[in-house]
Amino acid sequence: MKALDGMSFHVNPGELFGFVGSNGAGKTTAMRIILGVLSSDSGEVTWKDRPIDFAMRRQVGYMPEERGLYPRMKVGEQLIYLAQLHGDSADEAKRGMEYWTEKLDIAHRRDDLVQTLSLGNQQRVQLAAALISDPQIMVLDEPFSGLDPVAVDVMSEVLREKTREGVPVIFSSHQLDLVERLCDRVGIVSKGKIISEGKIDDLRQTDTPEYILVTPADSPTRFDHLGISVPSQVIEGDKMTRRFLTPAGFDGQQILRTALADGPVYEFAPRKPHLEELFRDVVSATSDDRKEQK
């Protein structure tokens, strides 16, 4: 069985790239191959048109899905130790530890054993370990898993800072709303392949534009004469929300004019599908195609 099947994608300098897919889709395998933890049967991983070798991998900050901290070691000592394993001098490692524990708001836990920390603070230590040697590339496997909203904001800002420095950041996550909010581009993975890749806004463009209309709950307006689909109609309190699916080139203002002819309109706006919907649609379509080929 193939874990990856001709997977190919690129990440630009200073870009946050979201790597999303179902469990077992191949995300972690791809990340391990980038790091050299696993070897591939074919293909290569390059950075700046050169294959990534051992020396280059020392410049990669990696955060594995299975966290790799020593539970009975103090936070500060552990970060210094990991930085020195990465090739930093003792002074560089100490400076890096002090800077990143301050930055990630865990300086007050430097002398605590990792096992005494909450999951969120352990995540911050793990991120500090990935950042401490000033990486030129960052590869993070589920970095936001288990974090509270405050910790998510802290980690998000740190990653954005790295991209502003020109560092490419690849991270996987099942939190698709977070990926949609943070990422410059996204790759959707299914059964070892990238099946859709691009900028969030580009992926959200569809051939069937959608619109949302909010009117009074007792609105009598009919839209049959427009020849468009109304896949959902929800009444909450004194308001009715309808979603319209229209063909390409359709003048959405016809919906608004029709509704206004019968009464007030509280809201009318085009609607783009969210990443979660795109993910379901793309993965489902891929699964259906494979079934037809069998």
Side-chain angles (χ1 to χ4, degrees):
M1 178 178 177
K2 291 182 178 179
L4 303 181
D5 187 5
M7 179 181 286
S8 179
F9 65 96
H10 73 280
V11 184
N12 301 310
E15 184 174 70
L16 256 175
F17 184 84
F19 210 39
V20 302
S22 305
N23 291 331
K27 305 185 299 298
T28 295
T29 299
M31 290 183 167
R32 288 174 176 172
I33 288 173
I34 292 171
L35 268 294
V37 177
L38 295 176
S39 59
S40 60
D41 298 317
S42 61
E44 62 179 356
V45 181
T46 63
W47 171 242
K48 296 182 178 178
D49 298 323
R50 294 173 53 192
I52 294 183
D53 55 16
F54 176 76
M56 184 63 228
R57 288 189 176 101
R58 292 180 65 179
Q59 300 180 56
V60 178
Y62 179 46
M63 187 173 179
E65 184 177 16
E66 299 85 10
R67 305 310 182 214
L69 300 173
Y70 299 106
R72 297 185 180 182
M73 195 172 182
K74 292 180 180 179
V75 169
E77 292 175 356
Q78 179 155 188
L79 289 173
I80 290 172
Y81 171 70
L82 293 173
Q84 289 181 296
L85 283 183
H86 220 73
D88 292 359
S89 68
D91 287 342
E92 289 172 333
K94 186 173 185 294
R95 283 197 299 271
M97 180 275 292
E98 291 173 346
Y99 177 81
W100 285 111
T101 52
E102 287 282 356
K103 186 78 172 175
L104 295 170
D105 197 25
I106 47 174
H108 60 293
R109 307 305 296 269
R110 289 173 185 165
D111 293 327
D112 294 343
L113 302 181
V114 169
Q115 66 184 8
T116 66
L117 305 185
S118 66
L119 175 61
N121 279 335
Q122 288 187 35
Q123 290 276 72
R124 295 182 194 217
V125 176
Q126 189 78 64
L127 180 61
L131 289 160
I132 196 168
S133 295
D134 193 23
Q136 300 306 297
I137 302 172
M138 295 198 68
V139 179
L140 314 172
D141 201 350
E142 293 289 344
F144 297 97
S145 177
L147 294 184
D148 61 56
V150 173
V152 167
D153 289 344
V154 170
M155 190 172 290
S156 299
E157 182 52 33
V158 167
L159 298 185
R160 270 295 176 206
E161 283 185 20
K162 296 306 290 183
T163 60
R164 286 194 287 269
E165 295 171 9
V167 175
V169 177
I170 307 169
F171 79 87
S172 68
S173 178
H174 287 100
Q175 296 162 265
L176 299 185
D177 58 333
L178 184 61
V179 172
E180 184 173 328
R181 191 175 83 233
L182 281 181
C183 291
D184 303 301
R185 287 193 309 116
V186 169
I188 299 176
V189 186
S190 179
K191 299 182 179 178
K193 290 184 175 182
I194 295 281
I195 54 176
S196 188
E197 179 184 353
K199 294 181 179 179
I200 297 286
D201 283 345
D202 291 343
L203 293 178
R204 294 179 69 194
Q205 297 289 346
T206 68
D207 295 330
T208 53
E210 297 184 24
Y211 294 89
I212 291 291
L213 176 74
V214 182
T215 61
D218 58 357
S219 171
T221 310
R222 304 279 300 182
F223 299 90
D224 301 346
H225 67 288
L226 297 179
I228 57 179
S229 172
V230 186
S232 69
Q233 179 173 299
V234 178
I235 295 178
E236 293 182 349
D238 60 352
K239 293 182 180 179
M240 178 192 301
T241 300
R242 280 175 276 200
R243 181 167 67 94
F244 297 86
L245 206 58
T246 68
F250 181 82
D251 178 10
Q253 293 299 310
Q254 293 183 64
I255 300 171
L256 179 60
R257 287 193 291 267
T258 300
L260 284 171
D262 288 329
V265 170
Y266 301 134
E267 181 182 342
F268 176 72
R271 177 188 181 275
K272 292 181 180 180
H274 292 291
L275 183 59
E276 186 172 348
E277 298 168 68
L278 294 171
F279 176 79
R280 279 201 225 95
D281 291 344
V282 170
V283 172
S284 296
T286 303
S287 298
D288 291 343
D289 288 345
R290 292 187 181 228
K291 287 176 184 176
E292 291 175 5
Q293 292 170 7
K294 289 184 179 179

